[in-house]
Amino acid sequence: MSARWTRLARVVVVCASFVASVSACAVPPPGGPTACNLPSPAGTSLQSMTVDGQSRAFWVAVPPNYTGKAPVPVVFNFHGAGSNGYVEDRYTQMSVKAAPLGWIVMSPDAYVNGALTYWSLPPPANPDTHFVTAMLQWLRSHLCTDSRRMFATGLSDGAMFTQALACFMPGTFAAIAPVGAINATPVCRAGTPGTPLITFHGTADPIFPYQGNDTLPSVPATVAAWATLDGCGTPATTTVVASDVTHTVYPACGNGTGVELYTILDGGHNWPDGQFYTVPFGRMTTSIDATDIMLRFFAAHRRAS
């Protein structure tokens, strides 16, 4: 593990904000039919599977209009360190907002490392990337999903994991939306297939400083590097969308990608318009709703094949 990843792993421990426990229920292992004739009742259920000898849990939210015959998009929502999938979904309201679109939401629990749950980084081959692969297999077996419209988001440690998946599992997700940690994970190496990206970050984030520090680059520099990876043009255009929010968009990105940044002035380390106010991590804006915005961004993107 590089020195930068080691430093980031230490920072992740600081990010723990919510702790809740869940119990798993058994489901059939991955495998089985892949044709779209996979009915399922609507609602949210807790599922589990064994990955690398460990029991892993994930919440699945199936929308009311799901028929099991038409392929539907899926959003993976990765929680922050110390939290879990259930809390992340309630905090972000992802399954509530995705339901009218007819989209499925996956809210998995990270690997338990001692007394803390957090996503393993870096992820080329570890229990958490194996878990993501297993969940994708589970989806193909149990629900009628569109492989070209798989999306990923997450907060803090979950945002770091989301970005890392775009680098180490290229072509899996049609777009990603990291919240509160865009500058905490190295940008993909040159030559990695581009991934549409929308991100949100507060200028007063106490965990991952907006302007960077001796360990981290600044948020604008990191977003600019993602824009280079995605073949975007310059200059970016920044507009004021609220008294405490600006929106930066890079033009003419390649291959249907896109790069956007929402900057929350004096914003802390949290999810814009989240359902809980995390006082230790600074001010949370209610001027924009990150969930609504990223779902619109996701709807505009799909993989070519």
Side-chain angles (χ1 to χ4, degrees), residues 180-249:
I182 184 67
N183 59 337
T185 304
V187 176
C188 306
R189 293 176 297 180
T192 303
T195 301
L197 176 143
I198 186 169
T199 187
F200 304 77
H201 206 109
T203 61
D205 189 316
I207 307 299
F208 301 115
Y210 187 87
Q211 296 300 337
N213 54 29
D214 292 341
T215 302
L216 304 174
S218 72
V219 168
T222 305
V223 174
W226 273 99
T228 298
L229 178 72
D230 280 358
C232 302
T234 56
T237 300
T238 299
T239 57
V240 176
V241 297
S243 61
D244 62 341
V245 181
T246 63
H247 179 208
T248 300
V249 180

Side-chain angles (χ1 to χ4, degrees), residues 11 14-15 180 201-210 213 216 266-270 278-283:
V11 172
V14 179
C15 299
H201 206 109
T203 61
D205 189 316
I207 307 299
F208 301 115
Y210 187 87
N213 54 29
L216 304 174
D266 196 36
H269 188 70
N270 41 51
T278 53
V279 176
F281 300 114
R283 188 184 70 86

Side-chain angles (χ1 to χ4, degrees), residues 121-135:
L121 298 167
N126 65 37
D128 283 330
T129 48
H130 295 167
F131 182 30
V132 172
T133 299
M135 285 188 288

Side-chain angles (χ1 to χ4, degrees), residues 68-300:
K69 298 185 182 299
V72 300
V74 178
V75 178
F76 282 78
N77 191 8
F78 298 105
H79 64 76
S83 185
N84 61 46
Y86 176 78
V87 171
E88 175 72 2
D89 186 60
R90 288 193 61 197
Y91 178 39
T92 64
Q93 294 288 285
M94 184 62 69
S95 64
V96 172
K97 298 294 183 70
L101 302 176
W103 294 14
I104 293 167
V105 175
M106 301 282 282
S107 303
D109 292 348
Y111 185 73
V112 180
N113 294 271
L116 187 65
T117 55
Y118 60 88
W119 301 101
S120 302
L121 298 167
N126 65 37
D128 283 330
T129 48
H130 295 167
F131 182 30
V132 172
T133 299
M135 285 188 288
L136 291 167
Q137 293 173 342
W138 186 92
L139 282 168
R140 286 193 292 269
S141 302
H142 293 78
L143 296 167
C144 189
T145 58
D146 188 343
S147 62
R148 297 178 302 167
R149 293 187 292 170
M150 296 284 172
F151 305 102
T153 184
L155 172 68
S156 190
D157 177 46
M160 295 166 64
F161 188 60
T162 294
Q163 296 161 239
L165 289 175
C167 298
F168 294 104
M169 296 177 65
T172 300
F173 297 103
I176 62 172
V179 178
I182 184 67
N183 59 337
T185 304
V187 176
C188 306
R189 293 176 297 180
T192 303
T195 301
L197 176 143
I198 186 169
T199 187
F200 304 77
H201 206 109
T203 61
D205 189 316
I207 307 299
F208 301 115
Y210 187 87
Q211 296 300 337
N213 54 29
D214 292 341
T215 302
L216 304 174
S218 72
V219 168
T222 305
V223 174
W226 273 99
T228 298
L229 178 72
D230 280 358
C232 302
T234 56
T237 300
T238 299
T239 57
V240 176
V241 297
S243 61
D244 62 341
V245 181
T246 63
H247 179 208
T248 300
V249 180
Y250 279 83
C253 300
N255 299 318
T257 59
V259 173
E260 301 184 19
L261 163 66
Y262 280 85
T263 297
I264 294 85
L265 307 179
D266 196 36
H269 188 70
N270 41 51
W271 190 280
D273 206 23
Q275 294 300 295
F276 314 124
Y277 182 62
T278 53
V279 176
F281 300 114
R283 188 184 70 86
M284 180 181 70
T285 184
T286 57
S287 298
I288 59 170
D289 186 308
T291 302
D292 287 338
I293 292 171
M294 69 177 64
L295 285 173
R296 289 195 294 268
F297 184 81
F298 289 163

